[in-house]
Amino acid sequence: MLFPLKTILIDDEQLALSRLRRLLEKHPDTFDIVSEAKNGAEGLVEIDKHHPDVIFLDIEMPLLNGFEMLSKLTKMPLVVFSTAYDQYAIRAFEENSVDYLLKPVENDRLLKTIDKIKNITQAANGNASNHNPYSENLLRLLEEMKPKKEIFSLSVKSGDRILLIPMTEITHFEAEEKYVFLNTLDGQKYLLNYTLTSLEEKLPKHYLRVSRAGIVNSHHIKEIQKHFNGKYVIVMRDRKASQVTSGSTYGDAIRHLLDN
C-alpha cells in the first residue's frame, strides 16, 4: 500500500461523518478520502468501486450494520471501527481490527490510530507477501460470529428407510476407523455420512468435542470419572450407560463442564 491511503468513510450520521472527514483531512499525506457512504449497503458499492486501503466504519447503521457489511466482503481493507454505543463487544475486535474510536472522535485519540495505521502499513509494505494479519483475523472472527443454523434432527439410513433422529435423543458421536456413528438414549447406533469435524461445525454448543474420536451431548452426561494422564471417562445417560474416554489434550473442555 502506498501513501496517501485510499480511504472511505462509512457512517449514517452526517455530523459524525463531517467531523471525521475534517479531522482526517488534516493528514493529507496519510489519507486520500475517495468516498463516503451513509449505510452498509452503500458502503459495499463504494468499496467495490474504489478498492480502498482503509475504511472508517460505523457499527450501528440501517440496512446493513458494520459487522454485516464486513461479512459480505471478499477482500478486507484495514478497518477502524467507530461507535457511540458501548453495548457492542468492541474489545473483542481490538486485536482483529486496526483500532476503534468512540464518538465523538477526538483528535488526540485519532492520532494514536493514525500511528497504528502507519506502522501496520509499513510492516505490510516490508513484507514480500503483503501479508495483513489484521484483515485475516477479522475475516476469521466474523465467520465465527455467524449464528449457527438451528438443527432439530439428523438423518440416518436404516435399511431402505431414512430416519430422522431428534437432537434431543442423541447422546454422543464416535468415530471408529473411517466411520462415524450416532448413538441415542435408547441404545441404538447409526452410521452417519459426516466426519466429526463437519459435525462439530454444525452442532449446537452443548455438544462437546472430548477427543479426536468423540463428541458428547453434555445434556445427557450422567457422570464424569477421572482417568489417567489427564483423561476422563464420561458416562452417558443412555440405556447402555455408554462410556466415552476423553483425549488428554481435551482436559480443559472437561474441566469447564465440571466448573459449571
Side-chain angles (χ1 to χ4, degrees):
M1 291 184 287
L2 300 176
F3 289 101
L5 302 176
K6 286 196 294 183
T7 305
I8 292 179
L9 315 182
I10 307 171
D11 197 316
D12 66 320
E13 300 176 55
Q14 187 57 49
L15 284 176
L17 205 57
S18 299
R19 177 182 177 83
L20 184 56
R21 173 181 276 273
R22 190 167 63 250
L23 291 172
L24 293 178
E25 284 177 342
K26 295 178 181 179
H27 306 275
D29 293 339
T30 305
F31 302 106
D32 174 20
I33 301 173
V34 296
S35 184
E36 295 179 357
K38 294 182 176 62
N39 55 60
E42 286 185 14
L44 288 175
V45 173
E46 295 306 308
I47 289 170
D48 186 58
K49 184 188 302 183
H50 296 284
H51 305 288
D53 301 307
V54 58
I55 61 175
F56 285 77
L57 178 64
D58 188 18
I59 296 177
E60 180 64 18
M61 296 184 295
L63 300 184
L64 290 173
N65 67 36
F67 298 154
E68 291 167 338
M69 191 208 81
L70 288 176
S71 70
K72 296 181 180 296
L73 295 179
T74 53
K75 184 178 180 181
M76 189 71 66
L78 296 177
V79 179
V80 178
F81 289 111
S82 62
T83 179
Y85 300 94
D86 288 340
Q87 73 261 33
Y88 291 102
I90 302 301
R91 297 275 176 192
F93 284 81
E94 241 183 326
E95 295 180 359
N96 303 285
S97 65
V98 173
D99 207 352
Y100 71 94
L101 298 167
L102 292 177
K103 297 179 184 179
V105 176
E106 299 295 337
N107 187 59
D108 288 348
R109 180 64 181 82
L110 179 60
L111 290 176
K112 294 180 181 179
T113 298
I114 292 172
D115 284 341
K116 288 186 72 173
I117 290 173
K118 287 180 177 179
N119 291 335
I120 292 166
T121 303
Q122 288 166 0
N125 288 342
N127 188 330
S129 65
N130 207 23
H131 178 67
N132 180 3
Y134 287 92
S135 298
E136 292 176 7
N137 290 345
L138 185 53
L139 281 169
R140 189 181 308 115
L141 186 57
L142 288 166
E143 185 65 29
E144 291 172 0
M145 285 179 62
K146 288 182 180 178
K148 290 184 178 179
K149 184 178 179 181
E150 189 172 5
I151 56 175
F152 299 96
S153 62
L154 287 177
S155 59
V156 299
K157 285 190 69 176
S158 179
D160 294 331
R161 299 179 300 159
I162 294 178
L163 306 178
L164 294 178
I165 309 298
M167 301 302 296
T168 53
E169 294 182 12
I170 298 171
T171 57
H172 61 291
F173 301 90
E174 284 187 296
E176 298 177 10
E177 296 182 351
K178 297 180 180 180
Y179 303 102
V180 174
F181 294 91
L182 174 159
N183 296 269
T184 62
L185 284 169
D186 61 4
Q188 297 298 311
K189 184 174 182 177
Y190 301 97
L191 178 65
L192 280 176
N193 287 322
Y194 291 101
T195 64
L196 281 186
T197 299
S198 63
L199 275 172
E200 191 176 15
E201 290 174 354
K202 69 184 296 181
L203 290 171
K205 289 183 179 179
H206 59 274
Y207 283 84
L208 186 67
R209 185 77 177 258
V210 296
S211 71
R212 292 180 63 186
I215 296 175
V216 300
N217 181 348
S218 62
H219 291 175
H220 292 319
I221 294 176
K222 182 178 181 181
E223 62 182 76
I224 299 175
Q225 305 167 357
K226 284 190 175 181
H227 204 36
F228 57 89
N229 293 337
K231 297 181 180 181
Y232 294 85
V233 173
I234 302 164
V235 182
M236 305 308 300
R237 203 181 297 277
D238 59 356
R239 181 176 294 174
K240 298 185 293 186
S242 300
Q243 296 186 359
V244 180
T245 302
S246 71
S248 56
T249 59
Y250 292 80
D252 287 345
I254 307 299
R255 285 187 286 274
H256 178 72
L257 269 182
L258 294 172
D259 291 339
N260 288 337

